[in-house]
Amino acid sequence: MRRFVPAQQDLRVRLRLSVTEFLFTPLLMVLGAVALAVGATLVDMSSPGWPPGVRDAFLRLFPHENLLSMLRVIATGLVTVTTLTISALLVAISHTATTVAPVVFDQFLRRRANQAYFGYVAGCAVYAYLVMAVSRPAWAGVGALLAVVLAAAALVLLVFMAYVMIDQMRPTSVVRSIQDLAFRARLRQLPLLARSRPRALLEGESLPVTTRATGYVVDISTARLEKLLAPAGEAVEVSFQVRIGDLLAYGDTVARIRGGDEAQRRRIAGSVLDCVTIDRVRNADIDPDHAIEQLGNIAWAATSTRQNPDVALASVGALRDLSARCAAAGVPEAGVYGGPLPVVYDDALQRRIVAALVDLVVVSTSSRQHQTCAGALSTLAEILPQLPARDRDLAVKSLQRALPTTLSHVASVEMGRGLARLRAAFDTIGREDMADQVRDMGPRLVRENGLEDDIIDHIDDHDLTGPRPFRFR
C-alpha cells in the first residue's frame, strides 16, 4: 500500500518553548520598565524648567545626592535579592527531587505569579541601571525617587513570594495544581471530541499519511479540518491514528484517509498535516493526558520507594476527582461547536486514568504500601461503572492481571475496604466471575499473612462505606 508523505510540513511553532513557558511575562515587564525609565528621564529633563518654588520644595524633600546614593544601592541590591531568591528556590526544589522534581520545575515555570515576580524584580534592576546611567546633577531626580518606590515594593513582594514559592514545593500543592490544569485542558479539548466520531464509518482502501517530523502531537485544529473537508462533505473520512500528546517519529502514520475518489484522498492527505501541530514539548494547556501521566509518575515514584504514602494517596485522590469531573462534564453535542466532522478521534482519557491506577496496584508490592494499593482499588471501583463498554472491558482485563499482586500486602482494614468496594463494582457491571475472584482474595490474603481472624470477610459484608483512604493536606 502506498504511503503519502507530504513534500513539506509546517510545524507552526508560533513561539519558542522558552518564551511560551516562562519568558514572555518577564520580558514584557522588563520592556515596561524600560518604557518607564524613558518616561522618568523625560520628566527629569524638563525639571530645570519647573517653577522655582516647586523645584526647591522637591529638592528639600528629596535631596538629589541622597537619591543618587540610594540608586546605587538599589541597583546592586536588586541583583543580590534575585540571586538569593533563585538559590533558595533551587534548594527547595532539590528537597523534593526524590519524588516530583521534574513536575515541580514544570509547574513553577508555568505559574503567572512566579513569572510576574521575576519580571518585576528584573525590570526594577534594569530601570535602576538605566536611570543611574543618564542621571544629571541639574535634574530633580524624579527617576531616582521612582526607583526607590519600586525597590521598596519589590522587598514587600519578596515576603509574599518567599512563602508562595515554598508552598509550591509541597507535593500536595503540586498535585492540586496539576489536577486543576488537567481539567482545564480537558475543557479546551471538547471541541475536537464533540465534532469527531469514536470509530470509522467508511470502509474500503485507505491512504496513510505519515510524518517527516519528530515530536509530540500538540494540537489538532478542528477549524482547519472543517475548511479542508468542506469540499468533500461526508464522502471522505479522516481517521487519526494518533492522539494529542503522542510522540511521533519519522515515518509514523498520523492519519488514514478513506472514501471518495483517489484525487480527493490525495488532496486531503497533502494538507491534513497542516491541521496537526507537532512540537518537541507537550502542551499542558490542551493535553490532559500529560497531566494524568504526571500524576501517575508522582504516585509511582512515591509508591516504588519507602516514602510517606501521603504523596501517592493525594495523587490517587486527584485522579479519582479528575475522572469524576470529566465523566460529569461529558462531551457536548457537535452542534455547539459548529456541527460534526467526518473525523475519527479516540478519546482515551479514562483509559489513561485506569492504566495509572493499575500501575500503582502493581508497583505498591515493591514498597508494601498497602494504603496506596487500597486507595487505587477503591478508586477503580468507583470509575468502572462510569466507563463505556469498550473501556470497561480493557480495564477489567488489566485488573484481572494485576489483582494477584495484592496478595503480597498485609491484611489491613484499608485493603479489606478496597477489595470490598471492587467486588461491589464488579457485581454492578455484571462481571460475577471477577466479583467471585475478588471475594476469594479476602480469605487468601488473611492466610498469606498467617492470620486466623477473617477481618476481610467481615468488612466485605458490613463495611462498604467509611472515610476515603486518601486525603489532601
Side-chain angles (χ1 to χ4, degrees):
M1 181 182 295
R2 293 182 57 190
R3 287 180 175 267
F4 187 87
V5 181
Q8 296 181 351
Q9 180 171 331
D10 180 15
L11 300 183
R12 300 186 311 280
V13 181
R14 295 178 293 271
L15 295 170
R16 298 187 63 86
L17 172 66
S18 58
V19 176
T20 57
E21 192 174 38
F22 182 77
L23 293 181
F24 179 76
T25 300
L27 287 176
L28 195 62
M29 299 192 73
V30 169
L31 291 177
V34 172
L36 184 62
V38 173
T41 301
L42 293 177
V43 173
D44 272 334
M45 291 175 63
S46 66
S47 61
W50 291 358
V54 175
R55 178 181 172 82
D56 293 343
F58 185 87
L59 292 177
R60 282 196 300 271
L61 289 173
F62 308 104
H64 191 267
E65 291 298 326
N66 292 353
L67 289 177
L68 290 181
S69 300
M70 287 292 297
L71 193 60
R72 299 186 186 95
V73 175
I74 289 170
T76 56
L78 288 173
V79 175
T80 303
V81 168
T82 305
T83 303
L84 292 176
T85 303
I86 294 176
S87 300
L89 172 66
L90 293 176
V91 171
I93 290 179
S94 65
H95 181 68
T96 59
T98 55
T99 54
V100 295
V103 180
V104 168
F105 275 115
D106 184 68
Q107 294 301 313
F108 178 85
L109 293 175
R110 293 182 181 276
R111 292 180 187 265
R112 291 294 183 186
N114 300 339
Q115 298 172 10
Y117 174 73
F118 281 102
Y120 180 81
V121 174
C124 287
V126 171
Y127 174 87
Y129 279 116
L130 289 176
V131 171
M132 188 168 56
V134 300
S135 183
R136 299 291 186 272
W139 295 354
V142 174
L145 176 61
L146 188 55
V148 174
V149 175
L150 293 176
L155 292 177
V156 174
L157 284 177
L158 178 62
V159 177
F160 293 97
M161 288 305 301
Y163 170 77
V164 170
M165 290 180 184
I166 293 175
D167 180 66
Q168 292 172 14
M169 301 302 108
R170 295 175 179 174
T172 49
S173 297
V174 175
V175 168
R176 181 58 63 90
S177 176
I178 297 173
Q179 176 186 348
D180 295 339
L181 182 66
F183 187 65
R184 291 195 299 268
R186 175 67 173 185
L187 297 180
R188 295 189 183 100
Q189 203 181 57
L190 288 181
L192 174 63
L193 301 178
R195 305 189 70 180
S196 60
R197 57 186 65 152
R199 59 184 59 84
L201 299 181
L202 300 183
E203 299 179 353
E205 183 180 358
S206 64
L207 179 61
V209 180
T210 60
T211 177
R212 291 180 176 177
T214 300
Y216 293 96
V217 179
V218 174
D219 192 13
I220 298 177
S221 173
T222 54
R224 295 184 181 183
L225 283 171
E226 181 179 13
K227 183 178 180 180
L228 175 64
L229 298 173
E234 294 289 334
V236 178
E237 181 181 71
V238 177
S239 179
F240 282 104
Q241 307 299 297
V242 298
R243 292 183 291 269
I244 293 177
D246 285 353
L247 178 62
L248 298 178
Y250 180 90
D252 283 348
T253 300
V254 177
R256 293 183 178 273
I257 315 300
R258 293 186 176 89
D261 54 35
E262 184 177 357
Q264 288 178 316
R265 292 196 298 269
R266 291 185 64 83
R267 180 187 67 83
I268 293 175
S271 303
V272 71
L273 286 183
D274 292 335
C275 308
V276 181
T277 303
I278 302 174
D279 199 0
R280 63 187 182 92
V281 176
R282 301 173 74 170
N283 183 3
D285 293 331
I286 199 172
D287 183 6
D289 292 353
H290 183 37
I292 292 171
E293 290 181 10
Q294 287 183 332
L295 290 173
N297 291 337
I298 291 174
W300 192 94
T303 306
S304 61
T305 55
R306 298 183 183 276
Q307 297 185 10
N308 189 327
D310 276 353
V311 177
L313 295 176
S315 299
V316 171
L319 289 171
R320 186 190 65 159
D321 182 84
L322 182 60
S323 174
R325 289 180 183 275
C326 293
V331 178
E333 296 293 333
V336 176
Y337 301 103
L341 295 174
V343 172
V344 180
Y345 183 82
D346 183 25
D347 179 23
L349 181 136
Q350 295 288 1
R351 295 205 300 271
R352 299 283 181 123
I353 294 177
V354 170
L357 293 170
V358 172
D359 288 343
L360 293 182
V361 172
V362 176
V363 77
S364 62
T365 60
S366 64
S367 59
R368 305 296 296 273
Q369 287 188 8
H370 63 94
Q371 307 98 319
T372 304
C373 182
L377 293 176
S378 297
T379 303
L380 287 167
E382 295 189 15
I383 293 176
L384 281 177
Q386 306 175 20
L387 297 178
R390 178 190 173 192
D391 293 347
R392 186 186 302 161
D393 292 340
L394 292 175
V396 170
K397 290 179 181 178
S398 299
L399 274 170
Q400 192 172 18
R401 295 177 175 88
L403 279 176
T405 62
T406 61
L407 296 175
S408 63
H409 290 290
V410 298
S412 64
V413 174
E414 291 86 353
M415 283 297 298
R417 184 176 292 116
L419 290 172
R421 286 174 175 160
L422 188 60
R423 175 196 56 76
F426 282 135
D427 282 333
T428 301
I429 63 176
R431 292 301 302 264
E432 290 79 7
D433 56 331
M434 292 297 298
D436 292 338
Q437 178 182 342
V438 175
R439 186 178 291 106
D440 294 339
M441 292 182 66
R444 290 182 59 189
L445 186 60
V446 172
R447 290 195 300 270
E448 291 289 337
N449 285 268
L451 301 176
E452 297 179 358
D453 184 14
D454 202 349
I455 188 174
I456 303 297
D457 275 349
H458 175 73
I459 294 175
D460 189 37
D461 294 334
H462 299 89
D463 192 12
L464 287 177
T465 61
R468 300 297 184 192
F470 43 80
R471 57 198 178 278
F472 284 105
R473 286 183 178 175

